[in-house]
């Protein structure tokens, strides 16, 4: 089962749970959801009416925790520890995993130094273990650890929940991609047309060459025939070169001795 299908099932489960609870009871649902090892999307839970109703109440801290896991990072949590409850170990792990996904949104080559700073990791061995065991094996990222260059080269990263204002940027990106694709398609079509024209030109040129060769052949054949007829006229027509048999039949002329 792929990660997208798993996500859909877990989201549906927690949406149903959140819909059936109110107030303080939602706290345990939110902690369970943000601690779940296979759940990395929370916007659907945020959209549940009973969860949205937490805003402005004494239980709004649970709503802020859910928003943190939907859009925030480990650094965001450290900056707001005074207004947020202490996270359990599974929540800490989950938020650090989500932090890697956020970093991967803008850069496909993540330096080790940046990752260690963002994740509060003290050495390269600990960082690589985290990336391998808690990110790549889980399936949220795929990539290559480059120890020589001290960086993580990302080939794939799961997407996070869309933040407010991000839709416009995404639409612009898709529009630019569509324009680039259209231009590329036009360029390909022009090259295909050029290739077709060149093929037609080559065929025409080849036909001209073949016709010319045929003309030369005919000219050479005609010249050879004319030359051959000329030779026949010289050797066989009257007044031409004497026939050998005729020459043999003539009496030989005697020479008189000198006195």
């Amino acid at each position: 089962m792929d990660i997208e299908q798993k996500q859909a099932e877990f989201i549906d489960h927690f949406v149903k749970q959140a819909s059936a609870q109110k107030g303080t009871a939602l706290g345990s649902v939110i902690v369970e959801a943000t601690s779940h090892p296979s759940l990395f999307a929370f916007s659907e839970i945020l959209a549940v009416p009973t969860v949205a109703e937490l805003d402005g109440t004494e239980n709004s801290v649970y709503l802020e925790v859910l928003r943190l896991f939907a859009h925030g990072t480990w650094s965001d949590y450290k900056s707001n520890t005074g207004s947020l409850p202490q996270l359990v170990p599974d929540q800490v792990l989950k938020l650090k995993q989500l932090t890697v996904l956020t970093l991967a949104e803008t850069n496909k080559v993540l330096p080790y130094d940046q990752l260690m700073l963002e994740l509060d990791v003290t050495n390269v061995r600990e960082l690589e273990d985290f990336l391998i065991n808690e990110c790549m094996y889980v399936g949220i990222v795929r990539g290559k650890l480059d120890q020589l260059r001290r960086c993580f080269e990302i080939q794939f990263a799961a997407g996070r929940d869309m933040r407010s204002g991000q839709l416009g940027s995404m639409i612009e990106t898709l529009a630019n991609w569509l324009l680039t694709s259209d231009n590329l398609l036009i360029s390909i079509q022009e090259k295909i047309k050029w290739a077709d024209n060149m093929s037609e030109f080559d065929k025409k040129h080849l036909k001209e060459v073949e016709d010319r060769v045929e003309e030369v052949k005919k000219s050479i054949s005609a010249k050879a025939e004319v030359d051959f007829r000329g030779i026949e006229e010289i050797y066989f027509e009257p007044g031409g070169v004497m026939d050998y048999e005729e020459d043999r039949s003539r009496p030989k002329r005697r020479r008189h001795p000198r006195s």
Side-chain angles (χ1 to χ4, degrees):
M1 185 182 298
D2 58 28
I3 189 171
E4 289 82 4
Q5 187 175 349
K6 287 181 179 179
Q7 289 286 295
E9 292 181 359
F10 295 134
I11 289 170
D12 184 62
H13 168 73
F14 284 109
V15 165
K16 289 179 179 178
Q17 280 201 336
S19 299
Q21 303 293 334
K22 286 188 177 183
T24 306
L26 281 170
S28 60
V29 176
I30 291 173
V31 170
E32 184 183 355
T34 54
S35 302
H36 197 285
S38 299
L39 184 62
F40 297 91
F42 306 94
S43 59
E44 287 88 348
I45 304 174
L46 275 171
V48 173
T50 55
V51 174
E53 289 171 2
L54 294 176
D55 194 19
T57 69
E58 58 182 6
N59 297 306
S60 62
V61 65
Y62 298 119
L63 178 61
E64 295 304 319
V65 168
L66 193 56
R67 286 172 176 168
L68 173 69
F69 278 82
H71 309 126
T73 64
W74 178 244
S75 295
D76 294 330
Y77 172 71
K78 290 191 301 178
S79 300
N80 294 278
T81 52
S83 59
L84 293 172
Q86 184 175 354
L87 301 181
V88 300
D90 286 343
Q91 286 178 307
V92 172
L93 172 61
K94 173 59 59 65
L95 194 53
K96 289 186 176 183
Q97 291 171 318
L98 294 169
T99 298
V100 173
L101 297 183
T102 296
L103 295 173
E105 289 178 356
T106 55
N107 195 345
K108 298 307 177 185
V109 179
L110 301 177
Y112 278 4
D113 292 338
Q114 180 187 10
L115 286 167
M116 287 190 289
L117 179 63
E118 293 289 340
L119 302 174
D120 271 347
V121 176
T122 57
N123 59 72
V124 171
R125 177 61 182 274
E126 183 182 355
L127 173 65
E128 290 182 339
D129 287 347
F130 172 79
L131 293 174
I132 293 171
N133 299 324
E134 308 299 346
C135 295
M136 286 193 278
Y137 282 173
V138 173
I140 58 174
V141 294
R142 290 195 300 269
K144 175 185 175 182
L145 300 175
D146 191 331
Q147 295 180 330
L148 184 62
R149 295 171 56 206
R150 288 174 57 87
C151 65
F152 180 34
E153 298 178 1
I154 295 176
Q155 299 166 349
F156 160 81
R160 294 196 62 181
D161 293 301
M162 192 174 297
R163 293 181 292 275
S164 177
Q166 196 175 19
L167 181 59
S169 176
M170 182 175 292
I171 292 174
E172 182 180 355
T173 300
L174 291 174
N176 291 335
W177 176 84
L178 182 60
L179 179 61
T180 301
S181 299
D182 288 341
N183 291 336
L184 180 60
L185 180 60
I186 292 172
S187 177
I188 291 173
Q189 290 173 336
E190 289 177 348
K191 289 184 183 299
I192 291 173
K193 184 178 179 181
W194 176 85
D196 289 342
N197 291 338
M198 288 302 296
S199 177
E200 191 64 31
F201 173 80
D202 290 343
K203 289 179 182 178
K204 184 178 179 181
H205 180 65
L206 178 60
K207 182 67 170 55
E208 291 175 352
V209 171
E210 290 175 345
D211 291 345
R212 181 59 180 160
V213 169
E214 193 63 30
E215 289 176 4
V216 172
K217 284 181 180 179
K218 290 179 180 178
S219 176
I220 293 174
S221 178
K223 186 175 185 303
E225 186 177 352
V226 169
D227 291 345
F228 181 73
R229 286 178 179 174
I231 292 172
E232 283 184 331
E233 290 173 357
I234 292 173
Y235 278 91
F236 301 109
E237 288 186 2
V241 177
M242 184 182 294
D243 192 311
Y244 175 71
E245 294 297 329
E246 181 185 355
D247 183 59
R248 289 182 59 188
S249 65
R250 289 188 178 187
K252 302 295 181 181
R253 202 181 273 182
R254 292 183 178 180
R255 290 183 177 181
H256 298 281
R258 294 180 182 180
S259 56

